Amino acid sequence: MIVAGAWVPVLVANHYADGPGGADVGYARVDQGWKFLYHAIHLSRDARLGSPELALDRARDVWAGSPVAETVELVYADGAFAVPVPEGGTRPAAGSRVAEPLSRLGWVVRGHVRNGPLQMIGLLDYPTGRVAWNIRPLPDPVAP
């Protein structure tokens, strides 16, 4: 029973690492699960965006125009990552194609850009509420 309990942080970490820029936790490394648990507890103390509701409110304040923030997802990250763009989505401007989290936990913000599919439009820092990455300014639209 104790051995099975040691794997619980790995399962939780994998859930939060399953998103844009998610850390490579892996099921074979129990230590990575415990490392996630440490970061989650440490960063949660007095976090400005400690709940999905707070994060979505903040995202809707930041992305109130075009594009509009529609969803948020908490992601456990381990460094800079290429911003994913779905098929038919809007690519970020040339200098903004990499997002750099400010800490190990961040809220990935999604919305529709120019009537395209739901895509990442921003990244908010979990403990501070600061904007870590923004798709704005939008690149010029591609001519048909």
Side-chain angles (χ1 to χ4, degrees):
M1 186 66 165
I2 292 173
V3 174
W7 288 95
V8 170
V10 174
L11 299 174
V12 176
N14 273 304
H15 171 76
Y16 287 104
D18 186 23
D24 184 17
V25 177
Y27 289 103
R29 299 273 317 268
V30 175
D31 62 315
Q32 291 295 331
W34 288 98
K35 188 174 180 180
F36 160 79
L37 192 60
Y38 165 79
H39 287 292
I41 291 169
H42 176 72
L43 294 172
S44 292
R45 293 183 188 149
D46 300 320
R48 298 264 333 258
L49 302 179
S51 73
E53 295 80 19
L54 289 172
L56 189 54
D57 285 348
R58 171 78 171 121
R60 286 182 173 153
D61 286 344
V62 173
W63 290 275
S66 178
V68 175
E70 295 180 37
T71 67
V72 293
E73 171 189 10
L74 188 60
V75 174
Y76 177 58
D78 61 359
F81 61 94
V83 174
V85 179
E87 187 173 330
T90 299
R91 293 186 66 73
S96 299
R97 295 194 176 146
V98 173
E100 177 101 31
L102 300 177
S103 68
R104 298 294 299 254
L105 289 172
W107 292 100
V108 171
V109 181
R110 289 189 174 88
H112 295 274
V113 180
R114 298 184 178 129
N115 298 318
L118 195 64
Q119 71 178 77
M120 183 174 166
I121 62 169
L123 180 65
L124 295 172
D125 188 47
Y126 177 81
T128 66
R130 291 177 35 211
V131 176
W133 180 83
N134 193 340
I135 196 168
R136 293 179 185 145
L138 291 172
D140 293 330
V142 178

